[in-house]
Amino acid sequence: QLQLVESGGGLVQSGGSLRLSCATSGFDLNYYAIGWFRQAPGKERGGVSCISSGGRRTGYADSVKGRFTISRDNAKNMVYLQMYSLKPEDTAVYYCAADPNYMGVCRGADDIHYWGKGTLVTVSS
């Protein structure tokens, strides 16, 4: 019943762009901060970006600052990650996650409430 479903991943050349979407259902998105995370094969999951419940605060990993933009449309139960100037090092499965605690989401806390199942982004050189 409580779901987050990512979409928008695919194969793109270095320098290209993608927009990832996170469709949510079964809970009130107005009360949840959202984080985007990614995990490459054999690597640990790491934080990419986060956004507060009302969209007024955002955070980004240093590796994506200036290239990625997180946004949300609570009325549509949607969260987005616009990815620009993609690099091969951005290749990973991207996950969205939801939790009332903005700081916890931004820090990748282990007790984040809800997770999607991911969408694969592959950036070729």
Side-chain angles (χ1 to χ4, degrees):
Q1 292 77 20
L2 306 176
Q3 292 187 327
L4 297 89
V5 180
E6 303 92 338
S7 63
L11 176 64
V12 64
Q13 294 187 38
S14 180
S17 301
L18 286 173
R19 188 181 74 163
L20 305 184
S21 298
C22 177
T24 70
S25 61
F27 63 98
D28 190 345
L29 191 59
N30 291 291
Y31 302 114
Y32 284 81
I34 299 293
W36 283 97
F37 300 82
R38 65 187 182 185
Q39 186 170 27
K43 305 287 187 178
E44 293 186 354
R45 185 178 63 209
V48 176
S49 184
C50 52
I51 187 167
S52 62
S53 60
R56 298 174 184 175
R57 294 178 291 169
T58 58
Y60 297 92
D62 288 342
S63 59
V64 306
K65 285 181 179 177
R67 299 189 298 119
F68 292 9
T69 301
I70 190 170
S71 62
R72 63 192 296 160
D73 187 341
N74 288 356
K76 296 182 178 180
N77 300 120
M78 296 291 294
V79 182
Y80 306 99
L81 184 69
Q82 179 65 53
M83 309 164 70
Y84 180 72
S85 298
L86 284 162
K87 305 174 181 179
E89 64 200 66
D90 296 317
T91 295
V93 176
Y94 283 71
Y95 302 87
C96 59
D99 195 274
N101 190 324
Y102 172 70
M103 186 174 297
V105 168
C106 291
R107 293 179 176 178
D110 291 338
D111 60 350
I112 291 172
H113 283 190
Y114 308 124
W115 287 88
K117 294 184 178 180
T119 185
L120 177 63
V121 172
T122 303
V123 184
S124 62
S125 59

